[in-house]
């Protein structure tokens, strides 16, 4: 791959002026705020751009961004800086607020009843391990590239523009669907608090398909309220999240202590009714319950000391969350037989079942607090993703504007929450959770892959021979992981022969990468331990969990990806190509001799 070789802080004056002309003020709605690039200035220009699509695609496919480009030149396109006022304490509570919400309060009951039984606690362990591996990968990137773009920026640097865009589209889908799922769950627990069924607060549209006909106006109002708070102030959002999350943690402790007081060990007699398959099928869906920590990585640009605060914030919040999830899952299945769990509001109804009717109001109120903070942190995170994507002009640059007074990306926040409200208004939770898990597992797999590339490949340092070895090892890791997932998704439960081939192949490929390919870069501030084993294991488990998701969800995922490709080749490709050329983002000096920013010969050799 050809590395981009331009340092954003050394641009030519003419290029800077060109970019200023293309940015627009951010608060107007003229054509140039959405399509300011040269390719869209006339029909003739656009037709010429379409003719050059193969050449432009090759350029975008092979060009990798630089750490300094993301940190300086790309970030400057928002006109104003985001305010650096977050600490590790804020990030831990943002992490807890981002993750503990609809997943644990709704999906625990659904998956225990439908798939895993009391073994749902093991499902949480599996998905928690997968999430923690991804947390480590995210942390190294967030420390070294502390920008609002999160995984989009990381993939631009290591895998190039095209892969970053495909991931970006799925990031947007992840946040919209995740927010919609939480907003609908908010309605479910609000109904419980009011002694009603969830559908009592929904409009049943019989003319629409069953999965899309339970219209939810409350979810729209909740999204609107969250939008106002997210737009006003990140620090204000942090304070609200901090207070709400403390109340939330108190409620979780109440559920665990009070629930275990009503425990009946007989409910654990049939611990795993559907065996290993039930555990892993539930684990793939329950991965939804851990989604949100990546929103913390998007706040790196607003963190005072990223090298210290981000590792503490991410790893600390994920550790607390995993322990809380496992204890809550154990408590629920000890309180009531798994077959009798209510799928809409499992914890509230469980307390009612054991004779503590008053406790359901405490649980419902705590769940509402939790879901509100999840929506808030999700709104903050998704707007920052979209802001950085728009800075590259893969999305309209109007979305990149940061408000001078509030220091927040107002346009991106409003657009993302409007989309969240629309999806939440129409779509049922089970569809949302499955589709969300696919997008998230796919992105987390790409981030782990990007970390391997970051450590083992640097233009000008990695030799051609080592580059070939790296590609072969990565192909073998991906191939064996995909084969394992396919076997799991299609073979008989008792069939183990395929795993005897695929798992040792994955192990050998990772070992070959460790022994045969020298690392080309050491982390400057904080690094993932046990490279390449940890990121390789993250790739394996994320792809394996994909093998447990239903076919219809993959069809929806393919349809969305197809839409992304159409948009990219008609608009995103040409806009980002023009922007890169105008800014000098990809100027090359002496071919491949210029080394990527931050490349440091590894102690392991070069």
């Amino acid at each position: 791959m050809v590395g981009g070789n331009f340092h954003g802080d050394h641009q030519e004056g003419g290029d800077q002026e060109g970019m200023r002309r293309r940015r627009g003020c951010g608060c107007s709605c003229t054509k140039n705020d959405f399509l300011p690039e040269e390719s869209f200035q006339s029909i003739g220009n656009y037709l010429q751009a379409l003719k050059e699509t193969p050449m432009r695609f090759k350029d975008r496919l092979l060009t990798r961004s630089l750490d300094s480009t993301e940190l300086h030149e790309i970030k400057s396109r928002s006109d104003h800086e985001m305010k650096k006022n977050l600490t590790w304490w804020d990030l831990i509570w943002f992490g807890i607020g981002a993750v503990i919400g609809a997943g644990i309060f709704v999906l625990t009951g659904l998956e225990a009843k439908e798939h895993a039984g009391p073994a749902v606690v093991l499902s949480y362990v599996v998905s928690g391990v997968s999430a923690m591996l991804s947390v480590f990968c995210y942390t190294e990137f967030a420390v070294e590239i502390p920008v609002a773009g999160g995984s989009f920026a990381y993939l631009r640097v290591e895998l190039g523009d095209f892969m970053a865009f495909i991931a970006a589209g799925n990031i947007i889908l992840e946040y919209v669907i995740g927010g919609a799922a939480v907003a609908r769950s908010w309605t479910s627990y609000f109904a419980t608090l009011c002694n009603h069924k969830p559908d009592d607060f929904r409009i049943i549209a019989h003319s629409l398909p069953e999965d899309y006909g339970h219209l939810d106006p409350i979810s729209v109002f909740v999204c609107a309220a969250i939008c106002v708070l997210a737009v006003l102030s990140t620090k204000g959002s942090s304070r609200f999240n901090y207070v709400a999350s403390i109340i939330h943690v108190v409620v979780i402790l109440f559920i665990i202590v009070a629930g275990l007081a009503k425990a009946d060990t007989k409910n654990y007699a049939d611990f795993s009714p559907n065996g290993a398959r039930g555990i892993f099928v539930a684990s793939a869906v329950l991965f939804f319950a851990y989604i949100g920590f990546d929103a913390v990585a998007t706040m790196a640009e607003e963190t005072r000391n990223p090298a210290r605060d981000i590792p503490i914030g991410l790893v600390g919040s994920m550790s607390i969350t995993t322990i809380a999830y496992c204890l809550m899952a154990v408590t629920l299945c000890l309180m009531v037989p798994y077959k009798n769990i209510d799928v809409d509001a499992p914890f509230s109804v469980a307390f009612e079942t054991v004779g503590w009717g008053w406790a359901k109001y405490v649980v419902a109120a705590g769940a509402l607090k939790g879901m509100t903070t999840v929506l808030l942190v999700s709104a903050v995170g998704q707007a920052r993703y979209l802001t950085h994507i728009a800075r590259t002009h893969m999305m309209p640059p109007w979305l990149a504007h940061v408000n001078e007074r509030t220091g927040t990306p107002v346009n991106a926040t409003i657009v993302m929450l409007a989309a969240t409200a629309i999806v939440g208004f129409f779509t049922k939770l089970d569809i949302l959770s499955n589709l969300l898990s696919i997008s998230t597992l796919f992105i987390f797999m790409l981030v782990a892959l990007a970390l391997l590339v970051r450590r083992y490949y640097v233009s000008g340092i990695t030799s051609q021979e080592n580059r070939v070895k790296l590609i072969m090892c990565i192909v073998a890791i991906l191939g064996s992981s995909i084969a394992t997932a396919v076997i799991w998704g299609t073979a008989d439960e008792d069939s183990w022969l395929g795993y005897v081939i695929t798992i040792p192949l994955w192990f050998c490929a990772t070992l070959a990468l460790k022994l045969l390919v020298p690392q080309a870069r050491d982390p400057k501030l904080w690094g993932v331990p046990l490279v390449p084993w940890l990121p390789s294991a993250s790739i394996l488990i994320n792809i394996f969990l994909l093998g447990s998701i239903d076919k219809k969800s993959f069809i929806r995922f393919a349809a969305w990806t197809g839409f992304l490709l159409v948009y990219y080749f008609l608009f995103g490709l040409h806009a980002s190509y023009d922007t890169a050329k105008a800014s000098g983002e990809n100027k090359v000096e002496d071919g491949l001799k210029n080394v990527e920013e931050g490349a440091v010969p590894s102690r392991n050799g070069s």
Side-chain angles (χ1 to χ4, degrees):
M1 287 183 289
V2 179
N5 292 285
F6 177 70
H7 290 234
D9 49 342
H10 296 300
Q11 296 176 50
E12 297 294 328
D15 293 326
Q16 288 179 327
E17 181 62 30
M19 278 310 305
R20 278 196 290 271
R21 285 197 303 269
R22 286 165 171 75
R23 276 207 298 265
C25 70
C27 54
S28 62
C29 288
T30 66
K31 173 183 174 293
N32 277 347
D33 292 310
F34 292 89
L35 293 171
E37 299 80 19
E38 193 69 29
S39 293
F40 304 105
Q41 295 308 302
S42 68
I43 293 294
N45 286 9
Y46 184 58
L47 292 176
Q48 181 61 34
L50 291 179
K51 289 179 183 177
E52 295 176 0
T53 295
M55 177 274 292
R56 293 183 174 205
F57 176 61
K58 181 181 178 181
D59 176 271
R60 296 289 83 201
L61 181 66
L62 298 179
T63 299
R64 299 160 72 202
S65 184
L66 300 175
D67 291 13
S68 62
T69 303
E70 298 298 315
L71 286 167
H72 302 293
E73 201 272 332
I74 301 294
K75 191 165 73 171
S76 70
R77 295 176 188 171
S78 285
D79 300 321
H80 306 292
E81 290 275 339
M82 295 186 192
K83 296 177 181 178
K84 290 183 177 292
N85 51 19
L86 301 180
T87 67
W88 64 266
W89 184 251
D90 294 307
L91 296 183
I92 281 184
W93 286 103
F94 260 128
I96 292 172
V99 177
I100 302 180
I104 184 65
F105 283 109
V106 176
L107 292 179
T108 305
L110 178 66
E111 293 307 309
K113 185 171 185 176
E114 299 293 332
H115 296 116
V120 69
V121 64
L122 298 182
S123 301
Y124 270 117
V125 170
V126 172
S127 50
V129 168
S130 176
M132 186 61 82
L133 293 175
S134 297
V135 162
F136 277 112
C137 296
Y138 265 83
T139 301
E140 179 170 329
F141 276 116
V143 166
E144 299 209 350
I145 313 175
V147 293
S151 52
F152 170 73
Y154 315 152
L155 295 175
R156 245 175 68 87
V157 169
E158 300 305 334
L159 300 183
D161 259 24
F162 177 67
M163 288 307 301
F165 175 80
I166 296 299
N170 281 287
I171 290 164
I172 292 171
L173 180 68
E174 170 196 330
Y175 273 110
V176 169
I177 288 178
V182 175
R184 287 189 73 91
S185 298
W186 202 99
T187 302
S188 295
Y189 269 89
F190 179 72
T192 301
L193 201 60
C194 300
N195 283 319
H196 280 270
K197 293 289 185 184
D199 277 352
D200 293 345
F201 291 93
R202 293 180 178 134
I203 302 166
I204 310 301
H206 298 288
S207 58
L208 294 173
E210 170 65 18
D211 289 337
Y212 304 96
H214 294 243
L215 309 183
D216 194 333
I218 290 179
S219 68
V220 176
F221 289 118
V222 171
C223 288
I226 291 296
C227 182
V228 172
L229 187 57
V231 160
L232 290 178
S233 165
T234 304
K235 190 64 178 179
S237 299
S238 174
R239 292 193 184 106
F240 174 84
N241 172 73
Y242 176 51
V243 174
S245 294
I246 290 176
I247 297 171
H248 196 194
V249 168
V250 170
V251 172
I252 288 171
L253 291 174
F254 168 79
I255 291 172
I256 294 168
V257 175
L260 290 177
K262 288 290 185 177
D264 184 353
T265 54
K266 292 179 182 177
N267 294 333
Y268 259 45
D270 187 11
F271 181 69
S272 183
N274 295 313
R277 183 165 297 276
I279 292 171
F280 283 107
V281 167
S283 182
V285 176
L286 290 175
F287 198 83
F288 168 85
Y290 290 95
I291 290 167
F293 74 80
D294 49 332
V296 178
T298 69
M299 297 173 199
E301 193 171 312
E302 297 156 272
T303 302
R304 291 174 185 169
N305 184 354
R308 180 198 66 190
D309 297 339
I310 292 172
I312 296 174
L314 274 171
V315 177
S317 60
M318 186 54 64
S319 300
I320 294 168
T321 298
T322 302
I323 293 169
Y325 279 2
C326 291
L327 289 174
M328 289 179 73
V330 168
T331 301
L332 177 64
C333 292
L334 282 173
M335 287 176 70
V336 293
Y338 75 90
K339 292 180 181 178
N340 298 338
I341 291 174
D342 182 87
V343 295
D344 286 317
F347 288 94
S348 292
V349 177
F351 276 104
E352 195 170 26
T353 301
V354 298
W356 286 13
W358 59 271
K360 78 173 186 178
Y361 299 108
V362 177
V363 175
L368 287 179
K369 284 281 187 184
M371 290 180 213
T372 303
T373 58
V374 167
L375 276 171
L376 176 60
V377 180
S378 174
V380 171
Q382 66 192 12
R384 279 140 189 80
Y385 264 126
L386 189 57
T387 297
H388 201 76
I389 295 166
R391 287 167 174 172
T392 68
H393 287 220
M394 288 186 194
M395 298 289 285
W398 178 80
L399 295 167
H401 177 67
V402 172
N403 185 273
E404 183 176 11
R405 184 177 63 84
T406 64
T408 58
V410 174
N411 297 348
T413 304
I414 293 172
V415 168
M416 289 295 284
L417 279 167
T420 299
I422 292 169
V423 174
F425 184 62
F426 288 101
T427 316
K428 290 178 72 174
L429 179 64
D430 53 349
I431 291 176
L432 294 172
S433 59
N434 273 339
L435 186 53
L436 179 63
S437 291
I438 292 183
S439 291
T440 306
L441 290 166
F442 175 69
I443 294 161
F444 289 174
M445 180 274 294
L446 284 179
V447 171
L449 176 62
L451 182 64
L452 289 178
V453 173
R454 182 172 183 81
R455 288 289 193 94
Y456 287 94
Y457 176 75
V458 175
S459 297
I461 288 182
T462 305
S463 67
Q464 180 69 21
E465 179 185 358
N466 286 332
R467 179 174 142 180
V468 171
K469 290 179 186 175
L470 173 62
I471 293 172
M472 290 176 65
C473 289
I474 287 177
V475 168
I477 289 170
L478 289 173
S480 57
S481 300
I482 292 170
T484 304
V486 170
I487 292 169
W488 175 253
T490 59
D492 183 79
E493 185 173 347
D494 297 324
S495 175
W496 51 268
L497 186 60
Y499 304 122
V500 174
I501 299 171
T502 60
I503 299 300
L505 180 58
W506 168 84
F507 179 86
C508 291
T510 309
L511 182 63
L513 182 57
K514 173 71 175 176
L515 298 178
L516 301 179
V517 185
Q519 288 194 34
R521 184 199 316 255
D522 279 339
K524 290 177 285 188
L525 299 170
W526 189 94
V528 173
L530 301 175
V531 173
W533 296 103
L534 192 150
S536 182
S538 181
I539 291 171
L540 174 65
I541 194 169
N542 284 327
I543 292 178
F544 177 75
L545 289 175
L546 284 171
S548 299
I549 295 175
D550 64 283
K551 180 180 176 181
K552 287 184 178 179
S553 295
F554 275 103
I555 293 173
R556 295 185 186 106
F557 177 73
W560 172 249
T561 302
F563 169 77
L564 290 177
L565 290 173
V566 170
Y567 169 84
Y568 182 72
F569 284 111
L570 291 180
F571 298 100
L573 167 63
H574 308 294
S576 61
Y577 178 85
D578 285 353
T579 304
K581 296 304 177 187
S583 70
E585 189 181 316
N586 300 313
K587 284 181 180 176
V588 177
E589 299 170 14
D590 299 322
L592 295 179
K593 292 181 181 179
N594 192 30
V595 178
E596 269 105 337
E597 181 77 11
V600 178
S602 171
R603 291 182 298 272
N604 299 330
S606 60

